Amino acid sequence: MYQYHCLNPIAEKGLAIFDDSYRASETLDECDAVLVRSAKMHDMELPQSVAVIARAGAGVNNIPIRECAEKGIVVFNTPGANANGVKELVLAGMLLASRDIVGGIEWVQREKDKADIDKLAEKQKKQFAGCEIMGKKLGIIGLGAIGSMVANAAAGLGMDVYGYDPYISIDAAWNLSRTIKHSKSLDEIYSQCDYITIHVPLMDATQKMINKEAFAKMKDGVVLLNFARDLLVDEDSLIDALEAGKVKKYVTDFANPTVAGREGILVTPHLGASTEESEENCAVMAAKEVRDFLENGNIKNSVNFPNCDMGTCVAVGRIALTHKNIPNMISQVTKILGSEGLNIADMTNKSKGEYAYTLIDLESAASQEALDALKAIEGVSRVRVVK
C-alpha cells in the first residue's frame, strides 16, 4: 500500500488516478509521495519515506530542488498541463491593454444610476478608445509550452509574431506555425515589437532580465506582459519606463505593493492557471507521474533527475538508485550484485548535471544484504525496491 499526502487541495479528477493500492494520509508520516501546488516546502522536514514530490504546475520555486536531489527525492512538475489557461489570459491581457476596457467598465459602474447613461456613454466612449492588435508586432521571449501556444494563437489573430528562444525544444519547434519569425537576439524583440510577453523560468540568469538596459532598447509605447514570474522584471526600472512613456502598459499576473493599483499597470491575482481545466490537467499529470515512478521506477518531467523509462515492471526484482553523477558508480553497483549472485536482466543509467539515476531489472529479488551494500556506496542517496 502506497501513501500520499496533499499539501494543497488537488483536483479530484487527479486523485481518482490513484487506485486501491494507494491511501491518502492526513500527515507526511510514512508517506511515499507528496502532491503540492503552492505550499512553501523549503522549511519542511520530510520523513525518510518520501521518495517523490509532484508539483501540480510548472514552477517549482516553492520546493527545495537541490536538497531533494541530495536526499534522492525525485521532484516532478507538469509542464504544459496548464498552458492553454495561461495562453488565454495572455491574449486577454493584450486586449485589455490595447483598449481601455477596464476603464470603460469602471465608468459605467460609476454612472450606473444616471437616467441618461446611454447618451452619456456615446459622449464618453472616445476616452476609452484604443487600438486593434491585428497587424501589430508581438515579441515572445521563451517558446516553451505556453510561449508556443501564445505564438500560434496570436498569429491566428493576425499579429506579426517574433519568437526568441535559444533553447527551443524539437517538439516546440514542430508545433510552431511557419509564420513565426525566429529572432536571433533579444535586441530584435526589443527594437521591433509593439507587444512583448515573457515565458521563461525564473533562475539566476533570468532574474530581472527585463531591466533598465532592456527598456532603453524597446519601442516607445510598448506593452509588456508578464505571466511567468514577477522577478523576471526589474520593477523599479519598469516604473521609470512607465513614467517616461517608454512603456504604455504593463500587464502582470503577480500582485505586489510596487505594481498594485498603479496607473498604467493591469494586475490580475495570479489567475494564469486558475481554471478548472488547468487544475484538473495538472492534477492528472502529477498523479500519473507519481504512479509510474512508484510502481515502475520510471521518471518523466523531473526537474532534478533525468528522464528514464524501462516500461512496466514485470521483472522479479527491479531496483532504483538515485546517486551522484560520478565515475565508477556503475562498476561498483554491478560488482555488488554479481557478488550476491544476482543476474542483471536489463539496466538503464541516465544523468542530469550532478545527479544520476539507475534502474535495474534483476532475474531474482535482491536480498537485504545486497540492498544495504548498495546504499553504502559513496554517492548513493537512495536505493528503492520497485514493487
Side-chain angles (χ1 to χ4, degrees), residues 301-312:
N301 298 325
S302 172
V303 296
N304 59 353
F305 282 95
N307 285 346
C308 183
D309 190 343
M310 281 180 52
T312 302

Side-chain angles (χ1 to χ4, degrees), residues 2 4 6 10-24 35 54 78 279-296:
Y2 298 108
Y4 66 89
C6 299
I10 302 295
E12 286 299 324
K13 189 173 181 179
L15 298 183
I17 297 294
F18 295 120
D19 62 16
D20 292 342
S21 62
Y22 289 80
R23 182 174 72 84
L35 284 84
T78 56
E279 291 181 4
E280 287 183 347
N281 291 341
C282 288
V284 167
M285 184 181 288
K288 287 181 177 179
E289 291 167 347
V290 167
R291 284 201 62 174
D292 198 22
F293 176 73
L294 291 179
E295 297 170 29
N296 299 309

Side-chain angles (χ1 to χ4, degrees), residues 131-152:
C131 66
E132 299 176 13
I133 63 174
M134 184 176 179
K136 302 300 188 299
K137 293 180 179 179
L138 169 66
I140 301 175
I141 302 173
L143 292 168
I146 297 171
S148 58
M149 291 184 76
V150 171
N152 290 339

Side-chain angles (χ1 to χ4, degrees), residues 235 239 250 252 254-263 265-268:
E235 291 180 339
I239 300 303
Y250 177 54
T252 180
F254 308 100
N256 63 49
T258 303
V259 299
R262 186 176 288 269
E263 186 174 355
I265 300 180
L266 299 174
V267 187
T268 49

Side-chain angles (χ1 to χ4, degrees), residues 28-259:
L28 287 168
D29 296 338
E30 303 303 319
C31 276
D32 302 284
V34 176
L35 284 84
V36 60
R37 290 175 60 197
S38 59
K40 307 298 182 185
M41 297 188 66
H42 287 275
D43 296 325
M44 287 185 181
E45 286 291 334
L46 296 175
Q48 181 63 29
S49 61
V50 174
V52 56
I53 297 171
R55 159 77 164 97
V60 289
N61 302 79
N62 57 319
I63 303 171
I65 303 302
R66 184 177 178 81
E67 290 84 347
C68 287
E70 288 290 326
K71 296 176 181 178
I73 300 173
V74 178
V75 179
F76 292 102
N77 67 348
T78 56
N82 59 12
N84 188 70
V86 179
K87 175 208 76 177
E88 291 186 0
L89 196 61
V90 172
L91 296 177
M94 280 196 288
L95 295 169
L96 291 171
S98 301
R99 307 175 70 173
D100 192 7
I101 299 169
V102 174
I105 292 172
E106 291 175 343
W107 180 87
V108 172
Q109 185 64 25
R110 289 194 303 270
E111 307 294 329
K112 65 181 184 299
D113 295 327
K114 293 186 177 179
D116 59 344
I117 188 172
D118 53 341
K119 296 178 181 178
L120 285 172
E122 290 302 316
K123 294 179 181 179
Q124 294 295 325
K125 67 180 182 180
K126 60 184 178 183
Q127 68 177 302
F128 308 116
C131 66
E132 299 176 13
I133 63 174
M134 184 176 179
K136 302 300 188 299
K137 293 180 179 179
L138 169 66
I140 301 175
I141 302 173
L143 292 168
I146 297 171
S148 58
M149 291 184 76
V150 171
N152 290 339
L157 292 173
M159 299 189 80
D160 197 7
V161 182
Y162 292 69
Y164 174 78
D165 191 336
Y167 309 108
I168 186 170
S169 69
I170 294 174
D171 287 343
W174 274 108
N175 289 330
L176 279 176
S177 166
R178 293 182 180 180
T179 64
I180 310 303
K181 298 174 179 63
H182 294 271
S183 296
K184 294 184 179 179
S185 70
L186 284 171
D187 286 356
E188 183 179 10
I189 297 286
Y190 295 150
S191 63
Q192 297 296 316
C193 296
D194 307 295
Y195 298 79
I196 297 174
T197 181
I198 319 162
H199 299 286
V200 299
L202 177 63
M203 58 185 82
D204 290 343
T206 59
Q207 185 166 332
K208 295 188 178 181
M209 63 178 290
I210 308 298
N211 52 27
K212 182 179 180 179
E213 290 74 22
F215 286 118
K217 297 174 183 178
M218 294 180 189
K219 296 174 67 173
D220 290 343
V222 68
V223 172
L224 178 66
L225 302 104
N226 180 10
F227 288 82
R229 285 290 181 268
D230 56 349
L231 291 178
L232 295 170
V233 176
D234 180 348
E235 291 180 339
D236 291 334
S237 297
L238 166 72
I239 300 303
D240 292 340
L242 276 166
E243 293 176 347
K246 170 64 73 171
V247 175
K248 175 185 175 183
K249 291 283 186 182
Y250 177 54
V251 189
T252 180
D253 203 22
F254 308 100
N256 63 49
T258 303
V259 299

